[in-house]
Amino acid sequence: MTDIQMPLPEEVLTAIHILNNAHQEAYVVGGAVRNFLLNRPVHDYDITTSAKPETTMALFKDYPLLLSGLKHGTVSVIFGKGKVLEITTYRTESAYKDHRHPDHVTFTSSLKDDCARRDFTINALCYHPQLGLMDFFHGLDDLNNRIIRTVNDPTERFTEDALRILRAVRFAAQLGFTIEENTARSLQETGYLLDYISFERIHDELQAICSSPHTADILLQYQSIFKIILPEIQGLDEQEWNRRCAAVNRCRQISNVVLAVILGSKDNADQAMRRLKYSNDDCREVKYMLAYKDVPLETDSDLRHLLCWLPIPVHTYFVYRKAMDPDLNTEAAEARCRKMINANVCVSIRQLAINGSDLAEMGIPGRMRGTILYDTLEQVLNETLPNDRKALLSYVQSKTR
Ligand code: ATP
Ligand code: MG
């Protein structure tokens, strides 16, 4: 126990108070304690308690409750808008089926046992407003030494639940921590078990990894893990891997840019991101970065073409280009694009000084109008024609005569 004082929101204090008054133990546990000690923002507070779920439900019967986690001992209490506390009974887990889900959970009255089922020592810290910090597995030392270490034997813990492999890598990427030697070795050895983890869970972890400040270091150190979850890049040699990792350092933590850099081609991105259940918007963004990865950015006409084709934010695209080629003057190109956008320079059919109705009036059949408008736009993008109604109409007339 230490005399650390952690400020807690009203509803957390209330919940602990209600449980303690009913002679039950209750502590804040996990991410909230870890993040507070690291001076990082705390998003949500989890409470671990000796109270059995029925007791918790009875004690909080005046509040709306969510019971979807009940079979794992979790009662979610709604204290107000956006204030949901997960209150979970001390538990142990046993006989993990399929390297992910415990066969059954057993409730226990021992806080230490509850901490022992948690993944890493830095996630097994508990805090009570009067009793202070509870640290059964030297989590505070690991936190101070910036180390990720499993609670108990790493091979056993990763074999029980292979998602922990990705969680270890993810915490290392987010926090810039080192994975302790044995934990790191076991993680590499049990990496093949990631085949048992659902694509949705891999997606969530990969997404978090790709928006972390230390992604590149982690990619370098745990190459084999990434090659398991992204078989598309299994064949990359050392030199190419190093080149991509160096580029990841320049991606400004924009996860789609990181993915574009790692995956390297439109086909890889399409296959990997669809499998891992990325949204259509994410897939499209990454694919477009890769489809236009080599287009020239020199002349205004180049940039007008880019703005015409690119259905994604220009900034994201330029971060990608700069990451791939740090010598490229993307700053100037981006500034010129912004100027064009602000000046409403014509880069789309919609912005042309003529439209489909004009062509209809000229007697041009419907099926030809699109092609003609695109051809006209091309002239405007190339600056062979000004975006001027008269000039465009006479161009169309000359083409269809
Ligand atoms: P985050 O900032 O990502 O929310 P967190 O530590 O709060 O980090 P959660 O996924 O919210 O992570 O889990 C809450 C706590 O539950 C963890 O701190 C850890 O103690 C425990 N935990 C979560 N997932 C696992 C797991 N797969 N195996 C063992 N313990 C886990
Ligand atoms: Mg959490």
Side-chain angles (χ1 to χ4, degrees), residues 5-16 27-37 40-48 74-77 79 82-88 118 125-129:
Q5 280 299 313
M6 177 175 172
L8 295 173
E10 201 57 42
E11 68 274 15
V12 177
L13 292 169
T14 304
I16 293 177
Y27 296 85
V28 178
V29 66
V33 183
R34 180 196 70 224
N35 283 3
F36 164 73
L37 292 169
R40 293 170 68 90
V42 175
H43 313 288
D44 43 30
Y45 291 82
D46 295 318
I47 305 238
T48 188
T74 302
V75 175
S76 303
V77 183
F79 284 86
K83 291 183 186 165
V84 183
L85 273 191
E86 286 196 356
I87 303 180
T88 305
R118 295 180 182 273
L125 288 159
C126 304
Y127 177 79
H128 184 280

Side-chain angles (χ1 to χ4, degrees), residues 70-332:
L70 202 56
K71 75 170 192 265
H72 299 115
T74 302
V75 175
S76 303
V77 183
I78 304 174
F79 284 86
K81 200 161 174 271
K83 291 183 186 165
V84 183
L85 273 191
E86 286 196 356
I87 303 180
T88 305
T89 305
Y90 294 167
R91 63 175 211 225
T92 57
E93 298 170 347
S94 56
Y96 290 71
K97 63 173 185 231
D98 63 25
H99 304 288
R100 170 77 190 111
H101 303 100
D103 267 353
H104 53 265
V105 303
T106 311
F107 299 132
T108 160
S109 55
S110 152
L111 175 63
K112 186 174 178 184
D113 288 350
D114 181 71
C115 289
R117 60 109 181 153
R118 295 180 182 273
D119 47 8
F120 307 112
T121 60
I122 59 167
N123 287 348
L125 288 159
C126 304
Y127 177 79
H128 184 280
Q130 280 83 47
L131 304 174
L133 201 67
M134 305 302 234
D135 178 12
F136 298 103
F137 297 96
H138 309 291
L140 194 57
D141 285 345
D142 284 343
L143 210 57
N144 289 331
N145 296 321
R146 307 176 69 76
I147 285 174
I148 291 166
R149 182 196 316 264
T150 50
V151 172
N152 295 326
D153 181 70
T155 302
E156 238 171 71
R157 304 309 309 282
F158 291 138
T159 309
E160 285 170 357
D161 177 0
L163 184 66
R164 293 172 188 152
I165 298 169
L166 282 186
R167 284 174 59 88
V169 172
R170 188 251 291 183
F171 285 120
Q174 285 178 329
L175 305 174
F177 280 25
T178 307
I179 302 179
E180 177 272 332
E181 206 179 311
N182 285 324
T183 303
R185 189 179 330 107
S186 296
L187 176 156
Q188 307 265 21
E189 286 168 5
T190 51
Y192 69 96
L193 294 172
L194 285 169
D195 282 347
Y196 290 89
I197 302 302
S198 75
F199 294 136
E200 286 82 357
R201 299 311 298 263
I202 294 182
H203 164 274
D204 294 350
E205 296 301 328
L206 184 62
Q207 184 64 10
I209 291 168
C210 289
S211 28
S212 293
H214 305 277
T215 311
D217 299 342
I218 293 307
L219 284 167
L220 273 176
Q221 289 172 60
Y222 300 101
Q223 201 182 127
S224 63
I225 298 297
F226 291 95
K227 287 184 171 176
I228 291 167
I229 58 172
L230 298 170
E232 289 75 15
I233 50 171
Q234 229 156 39
L236 291 187
D237 63 25
E238 206 59 29
Q239 198 186 356
E240 180 56 21
W241 188 268
N242 292 344
R243 204 179 68 84
R244 291 189 191 185
C245 290
V248 166
N249 262 328
R250 299 186 285 264
C251 292
R252 307 199 189 168
Q253 290 174 241
I254 305 175
S255 59
N256 280 346
V257 178
V258 172
L259 282 172
V261 167
I262 302 176
L263 291 165
S265 81
K266 195 164 154 278
D267 287 349
N268 282 351
D270 192 44
Q271 194 175 311
M273 291 180 75
R274 274 188 203 294
R275 181 181 62 253
L276 296 179
K277 318 283 183 202
Y278 275 84
S279 71
N280 287 339
D281 283 351
D282 286 332
C283 291
R284 196 168 78 128
E285 191 160 295
V286 174
K287 280 191 331 191
Y288 272 101
M289 279 185 248
L290 290 162
Y292 295 115
K293 64 181 180 179
D294 296 318
V295 300
L297 304 173
E298 275 138 43
T299 66
D300 278 356
S301 169
D302 292 340
L303 299 178
R304 277 194 296 271
H305 277 96
L306 182 70
L307 290 176
C308 168
W309 295 324
L310 206 64
I312 64 171
V314 280
H315 179 68
T316 313
Y317 175 76
F318 282 119
V319 172
Y320 169 71
R321 290 295 299 266
K322 187 86 180 174
M324 294 306 288
D325 179 0
D327 295 333
L328 207 60
N329 188 354
T330 54
E331 293 79 3

Side-chain angles (χ1 to χ4, degrees), residues 366-384:
R367 67 190 152 76
M368 286 172 64
R369 286 177 214 153
T371 318
I372 293 179
L373 285 176
Y374 270 108
D375 172 56
T376 311
L377 175 63
E378 188 58 32
Q379 308 309 314
V380 173
L381 294 176
N382 287 332
E383 260 182 350
T384 45

